[in-house]
Amino acid sequence: MTPFTWRSRSLSLAGVLALFAFAGCAKHETRVAAGTRDQILHIGNSSEPKDLDPNTFQAAVEWTIDSALFEGLVNIANDGDTILPGVAERWDISADGLVYTFRLRADAQWSDGSPLTADDFLFSFRRVFTPSIAASTADQGYAIAGARDYATGKNPSPDSVGVRALDPRTFEIRLEHPAPYLLCVLGGAPFMPVPRHVIEKFGGATRAGTAWTRLGNIVSNGAFVLKSWQPHANLTVARNPRYWDRGRVRLNEVRFYPIESGDTEERAFRAGQLHVTFDLPPHKLSVYRDAKPPQLHVTPLLAVTYVIFNTNRPPFDNARVRRALSLAVDRARLVANVLHESASPAHSLTRPGTGGYSPPVLADYDPLQARRLLAEAGYPGGVGFPQAELLSHPDGSSRQLAEALQQIWQRELGVRLEIAQQESKVMIDALEAKNYQVALTGYFYGMQAPEFILTLARSISPSNQSGWKNPVFDQAFTAADFASSVAARHAAFDQMEQLVHAEAPYAPIYSSNKCQLIHPSVRGWRDNALYVIDWRELSLETPK
């Protein structure tokens, strides 16, 4: 999916005041109690969204809001696995798996009453692949015929992309190779439809970041519409009266709070101000595990946190330096001491079990070998190692993890990296521009297919922020796409994981476990590895 940090937290004074205000509630009535009565869900969402454009989203916090505002051809159920009808009421797949034909429902419409047609999907899909848009997750759709060449500028014609509107209610997708994960990809951003008539009004057809997504301008097609947006305080969506499945939507509103402090969010939950937290600080896990286990949800996610090296900047253009820093880290010990059950040590980019694949077990902790490699690179005992900076988020666990890595590298290698902390939006921009040396960040790939995490190391991928290019890796990626058997596909994945391990443009540290608090009044919530929320299934009921 996209680079992410589950916390990038520092709540503004306005946000704190808004969070603990009791506007509209009785004197002693909590926000949760009032919300349960009025079917208004209050949910933590980590940080302020940069934009609400589903074609160009960059962070998990934007994706969560977009899933309430927009709907794609299909939906993904709350189990994170089952594919349900969306704007398309049905679809057919050709015998060779290369042509998908979707029949759109007759009553699909935009929130302003305009009809939603196959032409909207044609416009939206082409927009995702438009080079000037530079959608960071466009490569999720590279299985579509012609998509990669158009997105990378090799073919300037949008007509070359394998998508067609056969008539107002029929949309066709043609693939270069079978992609069994395609329906899951189509169930979320970036392949949700966007309103051409609104986007063109604000000049956003070939440009990201325009005002079409602002309050008063935005038009959407999902279960909810944007009602209010108070930056750094809260964002509210309200039930969409024009949504085709409105009869199943039981919540009247959802209010998202960009609470950038895990401790602040946990206190808000205890005070009855939130039904659902975005996460829970690791040091609070044992408290809820022992005292209030029903409120604590711990779910393995398809997400990995890693150290990423800018391979275009010395000394990190040297694979021996990168590998030395990776081999110095005892991941099991680090996770146990800092993150506890909120994480599992990662010895590969792909989380074992993703799409039925488990990567090879590769030795990634050898401080003696790390010291030898660093000496071979010209920095014995760290002598002469240039000044360098580790970019990280300022929240509690990220700060602790960065400090732990700093201590490990200084102790084991004699290398000291200064820590620079930046809020989520600033850090995303720095990574996109490759304006960094080393960073501690992560990727929520949210698809049961290893391709969607391994794309981080593909030279043509918009998600590759390391600058690393390896033609053998690219060839293995292509081999996986066109593999004739599961065994051949897995063999290609093995080769990619081994190359990343050997040259270390990324040093995986841990796989994330989603730890959050959910009030017992919330009904219909189902934990899943994709962190998919089917908003139609949720309702609020006072616990008995």
Side-chain angles (χ1 to χ4, degrees):
M1 299 287 286
T2 190
F4 81 105
T5 288
W6 289 114
R7 295 187 213 89
S8 62
R9 302 176 173 265
S10 60
L11 191 63
S12 66
L13 176 60
V16 172
L17 293 176
L19 180 67
F20 290 104
F22 288 82
C25 301
K27 184 176 181 180
H28 298 295
E29 188 176 36
T30 66
R31 179 177 283 144
V32 162
T36 300
R37 183 191 65 234
D38 298 332
Q39 292 297 307
I40 298 174
L41 179 73
H42 299 276
I43 182 170
N45 202 42
S46 178
S47 61
E48 181 70 14
K50 184 177 181 179
D51 197 3
L52 297 179
D53 187 333
N55 291 168
T56 64
F57 85 108
Q58 292 183 310
V61 297
E62 297 166 1
W63 180 69
T64 303
I65 298 171
D66 282 341
S67 71
L69 293 173
F70 295 91
E71 181 180 77
L73 290 164
V74 301
N75 283 309
I76 303 173
N78 265 2
D79 61 4
D81 185 45
T82 305
I83 302 298
L84 303 171
V87 179
E89 60 186 4
R90 65 181 186 273
W91 53 89
D92 297 306
I93 305 173
S94 64
D96 60 5
L98 296 179
V99 181
Y100 287 64
T101 306
F102 297 87
R103 184 64 173 170
L104 309 190
R105 56 185 72 255
D107 55 350
Q109 59 182 314
W110 294 105
S111 57
D112 64 356
S114 303
L116 197 165
T117 71
D119 282 327
D120 290 305
F121 280 98
L122 180 65
F123 169 79
S124 302
F125 276 56
R126 287 177 171 176
R127 183 172 181 261
V128 169
F129 299 121
T130 298
S132 59
I133 290 287
S136 63
T137 52
D139 56 329
Q140 291 184 14
Y142 278 3
I144 298 174
R148 180 174 63 184
D149 285 351
Y150 178 55
T152 57
K154 290 183 179 179
N155 190 327
S157 173
D159 294 335
S160 64
V161 180
V163 289
R164 291 192 299 166
L166 302 182
D167 62 49
R169 290 185 57 199
T170 309
F171 184 66
E172 180 188 88
I173 300 176
R174 290 176 290 109
L175 305 183
E176 287 187 351
H177 56 80
Y181 51 77
L182 181 70
L183 289 176
C184 189
V185 169
L186 300 181
F191 295 104
M192 291 170 168
V194 293
R196 180 174 188 169
H197 62 290
V198 178
I199 287 177
E200 289 182 337
K201 176 182 177 181
F202 291 94
T206 58
R207 185 162 56 95
T210 62
W212 83 268
T213 58
R214 296 292 122 183
L215 184 65
N217 300 336
I218 189 169
V219 170
S220 58
N221 76 310
F224 294 86
V225 295
L226 184 63
K227 178 181 178 180
S228 66
W229 188 352
Q230 302 176 53
H232 305 289
N234 66 72
L235 181 152
T236 301
V237 299
R239 186 158 48 177
N240 179 4
R242 291 192 169 97
Y243 177 55
W244 69 270
D245 202 16
R246 55 191 173 275
R248 287 183 57 205
V249 181
R250 286 167 284 182
L251 294 175
N252 289 322
E253 294 181 5
V254 181
R255 294 183 187 170
F256 299 90
Y257 297 85
I259 308 172
E260 298 186 347
S261 162
D263 288 316
T264 298
E265 187 180 46
E266 187 272 334
R267 287 194 297 271
F269 183 86
R270 278 193 286 117
Q273 303 305 295
L274 292 175
H275 289 99
V276 181
T277 67
F278 191 76
D279 57 10
L280 181 68
H283 65 273
K284 293 285 188 179
L285 284 167
S286 61
V287 175
Y288 283 89
R289 176 68 72 203
D290 296 339
K292 298 179 178 179
Q295 296 181 0
L296 175 62
H297 291 234
V298 179
T299 309
L301 290 176
L302 296 184
V304 61
T305 289
Y306 46 75
V307 173
I308 179 174
F309 301 96
N310 188 338
T311 63
N312 295 322
R313 289 196 180 185
F316 307 107
D317 57 345
N318 189 326
R320 289 173 295 187
V321 170
R322 303 191 300 265
R323 189 155 159 71
L325 291 170
S326 179
L327 287 172
V329 180
D330 184 344
R331 288 148 174 82
R333 184 176 180 183
L334 183 62
V335 167
N337 290 341
V338 177
L339 298 167
H340 312 295
E341 62 187 299
S342 69
S344 302
H347 307 288
S348 55
L349 280 176
T350 308
R351 186 163 195 156
T354 300
Y357 168 71
S358 290
V361 178
L362 303 169
D364 57 9
Y365 175 55
D366 189 341
L368 182 61
Q369 174 70 355
R371 288 190 283 272
R372 281 198 293 261
L373 286 169
L374 194 66
E376 290 174 10
Y379 309 106
V383 175
F385 197 88
Q387 182 177 353
E389 191 174 78
L390 173 63
L391 189 62
S392 78
H393 296 272
D395 69 274
S397 61
S398 290
R399 183 179 64 252
Q400 286 180 290
L401 193 62
E403 291 170 352
L405 289 169
Q406 181 188 56
Q407 293 168 11
I408 289 168
W409 290 331
Q410 186 164 3
R411 182 181 68 245
E412 299 292 349
L413 303 175
V415 168
R416 180 176 177 82
L417 272 67
E418 296 299 326
I419 297 173
Q421 297 176 340
Q422 292 184 349
E423 66 170 358
S424 180
K425 290 189 290 184
V426 176
M427 187 167 175
I428 287 172
D429 289 342
L431 291 168
E432 289 284 341
K434 295 184 177 61
N435 185 26
Y436 74 99
Q437 293 172 292
V438 185
L440 176 63
T441 186
Y443 199 80
F444 172 48
Y445 55 107
M447 296 286 174
Q448 288 287 0
E451 290 92 337
F452 293 106
I453 181 61
L454 292 169
T455 190
L456 285 176
R458 196 180 189 188
S459 63
I460 62 171
S461 172
S463 301
N464 184 349
Q465 297 166 340
S466 71
W468 184 67
K469 296 181 179 180
N470 186 308
V472 178
F473 183 96
D474 291 345
Q475 290 165 10
F477 202 104
T478 300
D481 281 343
F482 289 91
S484 58
S485 67
V486 172
R489 186 165 171 258
H490 287 191
F493 294 151
D494 286 350
Q495 186 179 11
M496 287 184 269
E497 287 284 6
Q498 289 161 351
L499 286 168
V500 170
H501 181 265
E503 296 197 18
Y506 301 88
I509 302 298
Y510 67 86
S511 296
S512 296
N513 299 326
K514 183 75 169 173
C515 299
Q516 60 188 146
L517 301 173
I518 299 177
H519 194 271
S521 62
V522 179
R523 299 287 189 266
W525 185 280
R526 295 179 67 183
D527 299 325
N528 63 84
L530 309 188
Y531 196 57
V532 167
I533 302 172
D534 186 343
W535 301 97
R536 298 172 300 179
E537 296 296 323
L538 299 188
S539 63
L540 297 167
E541 182 181 320
T542 302
K544 294 185 172 69

